[in-house]
Amino acid sequence: MTDAIAVLNAGSSSIKFSLFAQAGKDLDLVVRGQAEAIHTAPRFAAKSANGETLSTHTWDEGTRLGHEGALEHIVSFLRDKVHGMSLKSVGHRVVHGGMKHALPVRVDRALLADLEQLVTLAPLHQPHNLAPIRLLLERRPELPQVACFDTAFHRAQPELAQMFALPKELHDAGVRRYGFHGLSYEYIASVLPQHDPAAARGRSVVLHLGNGASMCALSAGRSVASSMGFTAVDGLPMGTRSGALDPGVILFLLDQRGMDARAIEDLIYNKSGLLGVSGVSSDMRTLLGSDEPRARLAVDLYIYRIGRELGSLAAALGGLDALVFTGGIGENSAEIRERVCRNAAWLGVVLDKAANQAGGPRISTAASKTAAWVLPTNEELMIARHTRRALG
Ligand code: ADP
């Protein structure tokens, strides 16, 4: 039997999972999959590392499988259908580690209680991330679990980068910039030395462009600034999230539009960003293929805001040696990368068009003062590595 680590990423309506075999020093992906629409029309699918479908299952419309039923299905699939593997530990993606957690940590009841306190800081994600941890603690107390935080990588940022200009009492109470997508940035920081050792020792900006999108300034592999702040709605416009807003807009919506907190939350998380501006879709592929002027406008605004954020992060770094694109859009859209790089010419980026069309990894010319790269992220592998390390 080969020892294996399961990685779980539980959201409001889905649980994604991966299984890694511990082969000596390496961690090899064996299977990945997800249970989706777990409260409405649940479906399950699992694929092998090379993309071959291993199992699918659907439940009747209206079945409320929930996190509990979904987790049960995933665990029994791993036990009954994945042969030759012995599940030794589980690593979880947890969005918020608060002020305290700058490293992944082994789960026990005290930690779970501690992380439940942070639900108020990330009400849309934290409760769902914690649901499978709680269930496994109850059902399989002997199975070691490790919580890996999206905020942890940014805890090393200089104090100034973490501050809002608010009264100290609020800062002390935890109202600060946390930054998110930390597991993705940490993974990129771990592979950048293989591609561009000089930039890895120097200054780079990583663009994680997916449905959620953010950017992070790395100095010698450590996060020094990021576009997301107190919550994952800050910074860049995203699929459905607004990104940074003048706080006065929120007051206007409260006072003049009579909206309450929940209605504003729904607006800025679910109805804004690419979807809100275009009125067409939150999906970048759809927008790039659309003739609608508002679809074009949404993409133009996206590119413009990335350019503004890039200038800000390059200023925080005092210069720039490399740009790195990752996430669904960053890894797959040559058009978005080309437009971002063109706007970054003032920072010394010269795009190699053919290399960009081919998907990289290097997409800047040999003469480009600042390099540009496409590097696929792998948050699951980062969590599996952390889980192994945290358990010694
Ligand atoms: P998540 O943040 O949910 O993990 P992903 O990282 O998978 O999301 O990114 C999803 C986004 O990537 C969608 O907007 C999708 O349209 C976009 N995307 C995927 N492939 C392409 C492509 N070839 N061209 C443009 N956009 C793409």
Side-chain angles (χ1 to χ4, degrees):
M1 294 286 259
T2 306
D3 289 353
I5 298 173
V7 171
L8 296 181
N9 179 0
S12 59
S13 65
S14 71
I15 302 182
K16 295 185 184 144
F17 69 95
S18 320
L19 190 74
F20 289 88
Q22 300 200 62
K25 278 173 107 184
D26 294 332
L27 287 164
D28 295 332
L29 181 69
V30 180
V31 42
R32 70 190 326 164
Q34 71 279 326
E36 291 176 295
I38 59 178
H39 306 295
T40 49
R43 54 188 186 272
F44 171 88
K47 290 183 174 176
S48 67
N50 58 21
E52 177 197 348
T53 297
L54 298 176
S55 171
T56 59
H57 189 77
T58 52
W59 288 259
D60 291 339
E61 187 111 0
T63 305
R64 290 189 61 83
L65 196 64
H67 286 97
E68 192 167 352
L71 186 64
E72 235 163 61
H73 191 86
I74 291 168
V75 170
S76 54
F77 164 78
L78 292 177
R79 190 186 53 221
D80 302 338
K81 301 277 168 52
V82 183
H83 301 296
M85 295 287 149
S86 168
L87 182 61
K88 292 294 184 197
S89 53
V90 181
H92 298 266
R93 182 182 190 171
V94 178
V95 70
H96 223 300
M99 291 185 276
K100 220 158 74 185
H101 297 293
L103 289 172
V105 53
R106 184 168 179 167
V107 172
D108 58 21
R109 289 199 178 279
L111 179 83
L112 183 61
D114 198 27
L115 298 181
E116 277 165 350
Q117 300 289 313
L118 300 173
V119 163
T120 52
L121 294 182
L124 303 182
H125 297 98
Q126 192 84 344
H128 311 299
N129 299 159
L130 299 185
I133 298 182
R134 189 179 313 103
L135 285 164
L136 284 173
L137 258 185
E138 282 163 14
R139 308 269 166 83
R140 300 278 305 272
E142 77 293 351
L143 186 64
Q145 301 187 68
V146 174
C148 302
F149 306 104
D150 260 323
T151 50
F153 185 60
H154 302 297
R155 296 276 44 77
Q157 286 180 3
E159 195 179 358
L160 288 182
Q162 301 187 44
M163 282 181 74
F164 292 114
L166 286 169
K168 185 170 181 303
E169 182 270 318
L170 285 168
H171 180 76
D172 293 345
V175 182
R176 31 182 101 181
R177 299 182 62 87
Y178 289 97
F180 297 89
H181 287 138
L183 293 157
S184 173
Y185 294 126
E186 192 177 7
Y187 177 78
I188 297 295
S190 79
V191 294
L192 190 58
Q194 296 156 31
H195 298 279
D196 192 337
R201 286 192 303 271
R203 303 155 300 182
S204 49
V205 169
V206 185
L207 299 89
H208 178 111
L209 308 177
N211 281 316
S214 72
M215 293 166 64
C216 177
L218 296 179
S219 174
R222 297 172 68 161
S223 169
V224 294
S226 48
S227 64
M228 281 178 172
F230 181 57
T231 64
V233 77
D234 195 12
L236 301 177
M238 311 176 210
T240 61
R241 287 174 243 168
S242 61
L245 285 176
D246 175 348
V249 173
I250 305 294
L251 297 176
F252 169 84
L253 296 173
L254 281 165
D255 288 342
Q256 305 301 324
R257 289 292 182 96
M259 292 172 78
D260 64 9
R262 294 288 75 76
I264 295 174
E265 176 182 275
D266 187 41
L267 177 79
I268 64 176
Y269 276 90
N270 302 322
K271 296 183 173 145
S272 298
L274 295 173
L275 174 68
V277 176
S278 70
V280 172
S281 174
S282 63
D283 193 287
M284 184 58 85
R285 246 173 318 194
T286 308
L287 296 180
L288 291 174
S290 167
D291 295 330
E292 279 280 329
R294 286 176 61 197
R296 190 59 17 214
L297 184 68
V299 178
D300 289 349
L301 179 58
Y302 187 75
I303 299 291
Y304 172 77
R305 293 298 325 179
I306 288 174
R308 293 269 308 257
E309 202 62 53
L310 180 59
S312 164
L313 294 174
L317 287 165
L320 191 62
D321 302 306
L323 275 185
V324 182
F325 292 90
T326 196
I329 298 171
E331 290 168 31
N332 297 303
S333 177
E335 181 177 342
I336 296 294
R337 292 194 302 260
E338 178 170 345
R339 293 183 63 182
V340 170
C341 287
R342 235 192 281 136
N343 287 351
W346 68 279
L347 283 164
V349 178
V350 182
L351 185 77
D352 177 334
K353 275 194 160 198
N356 184 41
Q357 285 300 329
R362 185 173 169 126
I363 59 167
S364 53
T365 63
S368 184
K369 186 173 79 58
T370 299
W373 296 92
V374 182
L375 302 178
T377 195
N378 196 338
E379 291 153 298
E380 293 80 13
L381 178 58
M382 201 67 234
I383 293 170
R385 284 180 186 166
H386 277 313
T387 301
R388 182 169 63 177
R389 209 173 300 145
L391 298 173

